[in-house]
PDB file of all heavy atoms in Angstrom:
ATOM      1  N   LYS A  76      -0.199   8.862 -14.089  1.00 71.00           N
ATOM      2  CA  LYS A  76      -0.391  10.004 -14.971  1.00 71.00           C
ATOM      3  C   LYS A  76      -1.693   9.775 -15.728  1.00 71.00           C
ATOM      4  O   LYS A  76      -2.255   8.682 -15.708  1.00 71.00           O
ATOM      5  CB  LYS A  76       0.781  10.114 -15.948  1.00 71.00           C
ATOM      6  CG  LYS A  76       2.090  10.386 -15.260  1.00 71.00           C
ATOM      7  CD  LYS A  76       3.212  10.425 -16.254  1.00 71.00           C
ATOM      8  CE  LYS A  76       4.516  10.650 -15.516  1.00 71.00           C
ATOM      9  NZ  LYS A  76       5.672  10.372 -16.332  1.00 71.00           N
ATOM     10  N   GLU A  77      -2.157  10.782 -16.414  1.00 64.00           N
ATOM     11  CA  GLU A  77      -3.398  10.638 -17.156  1.00 64.00           C
ATOM     12  C   GLU A  77      -3.297   9.446 -18.107  1.00 64.00           C
ATOM     13  O   GLU A  77      -2.428   9.402 -18.976  1.00 64.00           O
ATOM     14  CB  GLU A  77      -3.688  11.918 -17.936  1.00 64.00           C
ATOM     15  CG  GLU A  77      -5.097  11.993 -18.457  1.00 64.00           C
ATOM     16  CD  GLU A  77      -5.406  13.356 -19.034  1.00 64.00           C
ATOM     17  OE1 GLU A  77      -4.913  14.359 -18.491  1.00 64.00           O
ATOM     18  OE2 GLU A  77      -6.128  13.389 -20.018  1.00 64.00           O
ATOM     19  N   GLY A  78      -4.137   8.469 -17.898  1.00 62.00           N
ATOM     20  CA  GLY A  78      -4.108   7.260 -18.721  1.00 62.00           C
ATOM     21  C   GLY A  78      -3.028   6.278 -18.314  1.00 62.00           C
ATOM     22  O   GLY A  78      -2.912   5.201 -18.896  1.00 62.00           O
ATOM     23  N   GLY A  79      -2.217   6.627 -17.307  1.00 67.00           N
ATOM     24  CA  GLY A  79      -1.130   5.752 -16.881  1.00 67.00           C
ATOM     25  C   GLY A  79      -1.551   4.821 -15.769  1.00 67.00           C
ATOM     26  O   GLY A  79      -2.661   4.892 -15.249  1.00 67.00           O
ATOM     27  N   ARG A  80      -0.650   3.942 -15.405  1.00 72.00           N
ATOM     28  CA  ARG A  80      -0.943   2.970 -14.361  1.00 72.00           C
ATOM     29  C   ARG A  80      -0.534   3.488 -12.999  1.00 72.00           C
ATOM     30  O   ARG A  80       0.523   4.080 -12.840  1.00 72.00           O
ATOM     31  CB  ARG A  80      -0.188   1.676 -14.646  1.00 72.00           C
ATOM     32  CG  ARG A  80      -0.748   0.913 -15.799  1.00 72.00           C
ATOM     33  CD  ARG A  80      -0.011  -0.363 -16.080  1.00 72.00           C
ATOM     34  NE  ARG A  80       0.474  -1.023 -14.873  1.00 72.00           N
ATOM     35  CZ  ARG A  80       1.329  -2.019 -14.887  1.00 72.00           C
ATOM     36  NH1 ARG A  80       1.787  -2.455 -16.020  1.00 72.00           N
ATOM     37  NH2 ARG A  80       1.729  -2.578 -13.772  1.00 72.00           N
ATOM     38  N   GLU A  81      -1.360   3.213 -12.022  1.00 77.00           N
ATOM     39  CA  GLU A  81      -1.007   3.480 -10.633  1.00 77.00           C
ATOM     40  C   GLU A  81      -0.499   2.167 -10.058  1.00 77.00           C
ATOM     41  O   GLU A  81      -0.967   1.096 -10.440  1.00 77.00           O
ATOM     42  CB  GLU A  81      -2.228   3.953  -9.854  1.00 77.00           C
ATOM     43  CG  GLU A  81      -2.793   5.253 -10.356  1.00 77.00           C
ATOM     44  CD  GLU A  81      -4.027   5.676  -9.593  1.00 77.00           C
ATOM     45  OE1 GLU A  81      -4.764   4.791  -9.112  1.00 77.00           O
ATOM     46  OE2 GLU A  81      -4.247   6.882  -9.481  1.00 77.00           O
ATOM     47  N   ASN A  82       0.475   2.245  -9.162  1.00 83.00           N
ATOM     48  CA  ASN A  82       1.028   1.010  -8.630  1.00 83.00           C
ATOM     49  C   ASN A  82       1.816   1.295  -7.363  1.00 83.00           C
ATOM     50  O   ASN A  82       2.234   2.420  -7.127  1.00 83.00           O
ATOM     51  CB  ASN A  82       1.942   0.353  -9.663  1.00 83.00           C
ATOM     52  CG  ASN A  82       1.990  -1.146  -9.531  1.00 83.00           C
ATOM     53  OD1 ASN A  82       1.573  -1.714  -8.532  1.00 83.00           O
ATOM     54  ND2 ASN A  82       2.511  -1.794 -10.548  1.00 83.00           N
ATOM     55  N   TYR A  83       2.000   0.255  -6.574  1.00 83.00           N
ATOM     56  CA  TYR A  83       2.872   0.345  -5.411  1.00 83.00           C
ATOM     57  C   TYR A  83       4.308   0.242  -5.878  1.00 83.00           C
ATOM     58  O   TYR A  83       4.648  -0.604  -6.700  1.00 83.00           O
ATOM     59  CB  TYR A  83       2.553  -0.772  -4.407  1.00 83.00           C
ATOM     60  CG  TYR A  83       1.215  -0.595  -3.756  1.00 83.00           C
ATOM     61  CD1 TYR A  83       0.085  -1.210  -4.270  1.00 83.00           C
ATOM     62  CD2 TYR A  83       1.076   0.226  -2.643  1.00 83.00           C
ATOM     63  CE1 TYR A  83      -1.156  -1.036  -3.686  1.00 83.00           C
ATOM     64  CE2 TYR A  83      -0.161   0.415  -2.051  1.00 83.00           C
ATOM     65  CZ  TYR A  83      -1.268  -0.221  -2.583  1.00 83.00           C
ATOM     66  OH  TYR A  83      -2.486  -0.028  -1.999  1.00 83.00           O
ATOM     67  N   ARG A  84       5.165   1.105  -5.341  1.00 87.00           N
ATOM     68  CA  ARG A  84       6.589   1.139  -5.695  1.00 87.00           C
ATOM     69  C   ARG A  84       7.385   1.403  -4.426  1.00 87.00           C
ATOM     70  O   ARG A  84       6.833   1.724  -3.375  1.00 87.00           O
ATOM     71  CB  ARG A  84       6.886   2.262  -6.679  1.00 87.00           C
ATOM     72  CG  ARG A  84       6.038   2.269  -7.913  1.00 87.00           C
ATOM     73  CD  ARG A  84       6.791   1.694  -9.066  1.00 87.00           C
ATOM     74  NE  ARG A  84       5.976   1.812 -10.272  1.00 87.00           N
ATOM     75  CZ  ARG A  84       5.806   0.832 -11.117  1.00 87.00           C
ATOM     76  NH1 ARG A  84       6.391  -0.317 -10.906  1.00 87.00           N
ATOM     77  NH2 ARG A  84       5.063   0.995 -12.175  1.00 87.00           N
ATOM     78  N   CYS A  85       8.687   1.316  -4.551  1.00 89.00           N
ATOM     79  CA  CYS A  85       9.542   1.739  -3.445  1.00 89.00           C
ATOM     80  C   CYS A  85      10.767   2.433  -4.021  1.00 89.00           C
ATOM     81  O   CYS A  85      11.077   2.301  -5.201  1.00 89.00           O
ATOM     82  CB  CYS A  85       9.935   0.561  -2.549  1.00 89.00           C
ATOM     83  SG  CYS A  85      11.114  -0.577  -3.260  1.00 89.00           S
ATOM     84  N   PHE A  86      11.434   3.193  -3.169  1.00 93.00           N
ATOM     85  CA  PHE A  86      12.689   3.832  -3.555  1.00 93.00           C
ATOM     86  C   PHE A  86      13.626   3.763  -2.362  1.00 93.00           C
ATOM     87  O   PHE A  86      13.206   3.670  -1.218  1.00 93.00           O
ATOM     88  CB  PHE A  86      12.487   5.284  -4.020  1.00 93.00           C
ATOM     89  CG  PHE A  86      11.893   6.191  -2.982  1.00 93.00           C
ATOM     90  CD1 PHE A  86      12.717   6.907  -2.123  1.00 93.00           C
ATOM     91  CD2 PHE A  86      10.518   6.341  -2.863  1.00 93.00           C
ATOM     92  CE1 PHE A  86      12.179   7.751  -1.164  1.00 93.00           C
ATOM     93  CE2 PHE A  86       9.969   7.188  -1.909  1.00 93.00           C
ATOM     94  CZ  PHE A  86      10.798   7.894  -1.058  1.00 93.00           C
ATOM     95  N   ASN A  87      14.921   3.779  -2.660  1.00 92.00           N
ATOM     96  CA  ASN A  87      15.937   3.736  -1.615  1.00 92.00           C
ATOM     97  C   ASN A  87      16.238   5.172  -1.189  1.00 92.00           C
ATOM     98  O   ASN A  87      16.623   6.009  -2.013  1.00 92.00           O
ATOM     99  CB  ASN A  87      17.197   3.041  -2.122  1.00 92.00           C
ATOM    100  CG  ASN A  87      18.225   2.853  -1.035  1.00 92.00           C
ATOM    101  OD1 ASN A  87      18.632   3.796  -0.367  1.00 92.00           O
ATOM    102  ND2 ASN A  87      18.646   1.621  -0.837  1.00 92.00           N
ATOM    103  N   ALA A  88      16.070   5.444   0.090  1.00 93.00           N
ATOM    104  CA  ALA A  88      16.257   6.805   0.604  1.00 93.00           C
ATOM    105  C   ALA A  88      17.659   7.336   0.345  1.00 93.00           C
ATOM    106  O   ALA A  88      17.849   8.540   0.160  1.00 93.00           O
ATOM    107  CB  ALA A  88      15.954   6.842   2.105  1.00 93.00           C
ATOM    108  N   ASN A  89      18.656   6.464   0.302  1.00 93.00           N
ATOM    109  CA  ASN A  89      20.031   6.907   0.080  1.00 93.00           C
ATOM    110  C   ASN A  89      20.300   7.336  -1.360  1.00 93.00           C
ATOM    111  O   ASN A  89      21.320   7.937  -1.639  1.00 93.00           O
ATOM    112  CB  ASN A  89      21.013   5.802   0.473  1.00 93.00           C
ATOM    113  CG  ASN A  89      21.037   5.603   1.961  1.00 93.00           C
ATOM    114  OD1 ASN A  89      21.154   6.560   2.713  1.00 93.00           O
ATOM    115  ND2 ASN A  89      20.905   4.362   2.391  1.00 93.00           N
ATOM    116  N   ARG A  90      19.381   7.050  -2.278  1.00 95.00           N
ATOM    117  CA  ARG A  90      19.570   7.383  -3.686  1.00 95.00           C
ATOM    118  C   ARG A  90      18.734   8.587  -4.117  1.00 95.00           C
ATOM    119  O   ARG A  90      18.689   8.951  -5.285  1.00 95.00           O
ATOM    120  CB  ARG A  90      19.287   6.169  -4.547  1.00 95.00           C
ATOM    121  CG  ARG A  90      20.191   4.987  -4.135  1.00 95.00           C
ATOM    122  CD  ARG A  90      20.194   3.846  -5.089  1.00 95.00           C
ATOM    123  NE  ARG A  90      20.731   4.168  -6.394  1.00 95.00           N
ATOM    124  CZ  ARG A  90      22.014   4.259  -6.707  1.00 95.00           C
ATOM    125  NH1 ARG A  90      22.924   4.070  -5.794  1.00 95.00           N
ATOM    126  NH2 ARG A  90      22.396   4.526  -7.934  1.00 95.00           N
ATOM    127  N   VAL A  91      18.069   9.237  -3.155  1.00 96.00           N
ATOM    128  CA  VAL A  91      17.227  10.403  -3.448  1.00 96.00           C
ATOM    129  C   VAL A  91      18.099  11.624  -3.710  1.00 96.00           C
ATOM    130  O   VAL A  91      19.062  11.882  -2.984  1.00 96.00           O
ATOM    131  CB  VAL A  91      16.256  10.682  -2.277  1.00 96.00           C
ATOM    132  CG1 VAL A  91      15.538  12.009  -2.458  1.00 96.00           C
ATOM    133  CG2 VAL A  91      15.260   9.540  -2.141  1.00 96.00           C
ATOM    134  N   VAL A  92      17.760  12.388  -4.760  1.00 97.00           N
ATOM    135  CA  VAL A  92      18.470  13.630  -5.057  1.00 97.00           C
ATOM    136  C   VAL A  92      17.568  14.846  -4.892  1.00 97.00           C
ATOM    137  O   VAL A  92      18.061  15.970  -4.766  1.00 97.00           O
ATOM    138  CB  VAL A  92      19.113  13.620  -6.470  1.00 97.00           C
ATOM    139  CG1 VAL A  92      20.237  12.604  -6.524  1.00 97.00           C
ATOM    140  CG2 VAL A  92      18.098  13.364  -7.552  1.00 97.00           C
ATOM    141  N   GLU A  93      16.236  14.630  -4.881  1.00 97.00           N
ATOM    142  CA  GLU A  93      15.324  15.755  -4.701  1.00 97.00           C
ATOM    143  C   GLU A  93      13.969  15.242  -4.215  1.00 97.00           C
ATOM    144  O   GLU A  93      13.491  14.212  -4.657  1.00 97.00           O
ATOM    145  CB  GLU A  93      15.136  16.497  -6.025  1.00 97.00           C
ATOM    146  CG  GLU A  93      14.228  17.700  -5.944  1.00 97.00           C
ATOM    147  CD  GLU A  93      14.058  18.376  -7.289  1.00 97.00           C
ATOM    148  OE1 GLU A  93      15.007  19.062  -7.721  1.00 97.00           O
ATOM    149  OE2 GLU A  93      13.001  18.187  -7.912  1.00 97.00           O
ATOM    150  N   MET A  94      13.374  15.994  -3.308  1.00 97.00           N
ATOM    151  CA  MET A  94      12.006  15.727  -2.859  1.00 97.00           C
ATOM    152  C   MET A  94      11.257  17.040  -2.792  1.00 97.00           C
ATOM    153  O   MET A  94      11.822  18.070  -2.407  1.00 97.00           O
ATOM    154  CB  MET A  94      11.982  15.100  -1.462  1.00 97.00           C
ATOM    155  CG  MET A  94      12.287  13.639  -1.445  1.00 97.00           C
ATOM    156  SD  MET A  94      12.022  12.914   0.190  1.00 97.00           S
ATOM    157  CE  MET A  94      10.230  12.828   0.207  1.00 97.00           C
ATOM    158  N   LYS A  95       9.986  17.005  -3.167  1.00 97.00           N
ATOM    159  CA  LYS A  95       9.125  18.175  -3.019  1.00 97.00           C
ATOM    160  C   LYS A  95       7.964  17.760  -2.129  1.00 97.00           C
ATOM    161  O   LYS A  95       7.168  16.894  -2.485  1.00 97.00           O
ATOM    162  CB  LYS A  95       8.618  18.663  -4.368  1.00 97.00           C
ATOM    163  CG  LYS A  95       7.866  19.966  -4.270  1.00 97.00           C
ATOM    164  CD  LYS A  95       7.553  20.534  -5.639  1.00 97.00           C
ATOM    165  CE  LYS A  95       6.896  21.891  -5.485  1.00 97.00           C
ATOM    166  NZ  LYS A  95       6.585  22.469  -6.800  1.00 97.00           N
ATOM    167  N   VAL A  96       7.928  18.353  -0.944  1.00 96.00           N
ATOM    168  CA  VAL A  96       6.919  18.026   0.065  1.00 96.00           C
ATOM    169  C   VAL A  96       6.281  19.327   0.536  1.00 96.00           C
ATOM    170  O   VAL A  96       6.981  20.248   0.955  1.00 96.00           O
ATOM    171  CB  VAL A  96       7.557  17.286   1.270  1.00 96.00           C
ATOM    172  CG1 VAL A  96       6.514  16.961   2.315  1.00 96.00           C
ATOM    173  CG2 VAL A  96       8.287  16.039   0.825  1.00 96.00           C
ATOM    174  N   GLY A  97       4.976  19.409   0.451  1.00 94.00           N
ATOM    175  CA  GLY A  97       4.274  20.608   0.910  1.00 94.00           C
ATOM    176  C   GLY A  97       4.694  21.870   0.181  1.00 94.00           C
ATOM    177  O   GLY A  97       4.738  22.942   0.782  1.00 94.00           O
ATOM    178  N   GLY A  98       5.054  21.753  -1.093  1.00 94.00           N
ATOM    179  CA  GLY A  98       5.452  22.912  -1.883  1.00 94.00           C
ATOM    180  C   GLY A  98       6.892  23.352  -1.691  1.00 94.00           C
ATOM    181  O   GLY A  98       7.335  24.308  -2.299  1.00 94.00           O
ATOM    182  N   VAL A  99       7.640  22.648  -0.847  1.00 96.00           N
ATOM    183  CA  VAL A  99       9.036  22.996  -0.586  1.00 96.00           C
ATOM    184  C   VAL A  99       9.933  21.936  -1.219  1.00 96.00           C
ATOM    185  O   VAL A  99       9.751  20.738  -0.998  1.00 96.00           O
ATOM    186  CB  VAL A  99       9.315  23.075   0.931  1.00 96.00           C
ATOM    187  CG1 VAL A  99      10.776  23.404   1.192  1.00 96.00           C
ATOM    188  CG2 VAL A  99       8.401  24.096   1.592  1.00 96.00           C
ATOM    189  N   THR A 100      10.906  22.383  -2.017  1.00 97.00           N
ATOM    190  CA  THR A 100      11.836  21.464  -2.669  1.00 97.00           C
ATOM    191  C   THR A 100      13.070  21.287  -1.803  1.00 97.00           C
ATOM    192  O   THR A 100      13.668  22.258  -1.336  1.00 97.00           O
ATOM    193  CB  THR A 100      12.244  21.998  -4.052  1.00 97.00           C
ATOM    194  OG1 THR A 100      11.062  22.163  -4.843  1.00 97.00           O
ATOM    195  CG2 THR A 100      13.202  21.057  -4.752  1.00 97.00           C
ATOM    196  N   HIS A 101      13.448  20.042  -1.578  1.00 96.00           N
ATOM    197  CA  HIS A 101      14.630  19.684  -0.794  1.00 96.00           C
ATOM    198  C   HIS A 101      15.589  18.952  -1.727  1.00 96.00           C
ATOM    199  O   HIS A 101      15.205  17.971  -2.345  1.00 96.00           O
ATOM    200  CB  HIS A 101      14.239  18.766   0.363  1.00 96.00           C
ATOM    201  CG  HIS A 101      13.171  19.322   1.228  1.00 96.00           C
ATOM    202  ND1 HIS A 101      13.454  20.086   2.346  1.00 96.00           N
ATOM    203  CD2 HIS A 101      11.816  19.236   1.155  1.00 96.00           C
ATOM    204  CE1 HIS A 101      12.304  20.441   2.917  1.00 96.00           C
ATOM    205  NE2 HIS A 101      11.310  19.937   2.219  1.00 96.00           N
ATOM    206  N   ASN A 102      16.830  19.447  -1.828  1.00 96.00           N
ATOM    207  CA  ASN A 102      17.832  18.837  -2.688  1.00 96.00           C
ATOM    208  C   ASN A 102      18.861  18.098  -1.855  1.00 96.00           C
ATOM    209  O   ASN A 102      19.240  18.553  -0.764  1.00 96.00           O
ATOM    210  CB  ASN A 102      18.526  19.893  -3.552  1.00 96.00           C
ATOM    211  CG  ASN A 102      17.573  20.476  -4.560  1.00 96.00           C
ATOM    212  OD1 ASN A 102      17.062  19.781  -5.419  1.00 96.00           O
ATOM    213  ND2 ASN A 102      17.308  21.776  -4.452  1.00 96.00           N
ATOM    214  N   PHE A 103      19.346  16.980  -2.373  1.00 95.00           N
ATOM    215  CA  PHE A 103      20.338  16.158  -1.693  1.00 95.00           C
ATOM    216  C   PHE A 103      21.416  15.742  -2.691  1.00 95.00           C
ATOM    217  O   PHE A 103      21.133  15.576  -3.872  1.00 95.00           O
ATOM    218  CB  PHE A 103      19.685  14.877  -1.144  1.00 95.00           C
ATOM    219  CG  PHE A 103      18.590  15.137  -0.155  1.00 95.00           C
ATOM    220  CD1 PHE A 103      17.276  15.240  -0.582  1.00 95.00           C
ATOM    221  CD2 PHE A 103      18.871  15.292   1.183  1.00 95.00           C
ATOM    222  CE1 PHE A 103      16.252  15.479   0.320  1.00 95.00           C
ATOM    223  CE2 PHE A 103      17.867  15.537   2.096  1.00 95.00           C
ATOM    224  CZ  PHE A 103      16.564  15.628   1.669  1.00 95.00           C
ATOM    225  N   ASP A 104      22.629  15.576  -2.189  1.00 91.00           N
ATOM    226  CA  ASP A 104      23.694  15.010  -2.992  1.00 91.00           C
ATOM    227  C   ASP A 104      23.540  13.510  -2.963  1.00 91.00           C
ATOM    228  O   ASP A 104      23.156  12.926  -1.939  1.00 91.00           O
ATOM    229  CB  ASP A 104      25.070  15.381  -2.446  1.00 91.00           C
ATOM    230  CG  ASP A 104      25.372  16.874  -2.615  1.00 91.00           C
ATOM    231  OD1 ASP A 104      24.871  17.471  -3.577  1.00 91.00           O
ATOM    232  OD2 ASP A 104      26.103  17.407  -1.775  1.00 91.00           O
ATOM    233  N   LEU A 105      23.878  12.848  -4.031  1.00 82.00           N
ATOM    234  CA  LEU A 105      23.799  11.391  -4.066  1.00 82.00           C
ATOM    235  C   LEU A 105      24.754  10.776  -3.049  1.00 82.00           C
ATOM    236  O   LEU A 105      24.482   9.742  -2.471  1.00 82.00           O
ATOM    237  CB  LEU A 105      24.102  10.858  -5.465  1.00 82.00           C
ATOM    238  CG  LEU A 105      23.875   9.381  -5.687  1.00 82.00           C
ATOM    239  CD1 LEU A 105      22.434   8.994  -5.341  1.00 82.00           C
ATOM    240  CD2 LEU A 105      24.176   8.986  -7.113  1.00 82.00           C
TER     241      LEU A 105
END
Side-chain angles (χ1 to χ4, degrees):
K76 296 177 182 165
E77 194 171 324
R80 288 180 35 192
E81 297 178 330
N82 209 345
Y83 291 94
R84 307 259 184 226
C85 72
F86 60 91
N87 186 305
N89 290 311
R90 303 192 64 79
V91 171
V92 293
E93 181 181 285
M94 281 188 76
K95 187 171 184 180
V96 179
V99 179
T100 301
H101 306 269
N102 292 298
F103 300 92
D104 291 330
L105 188 56

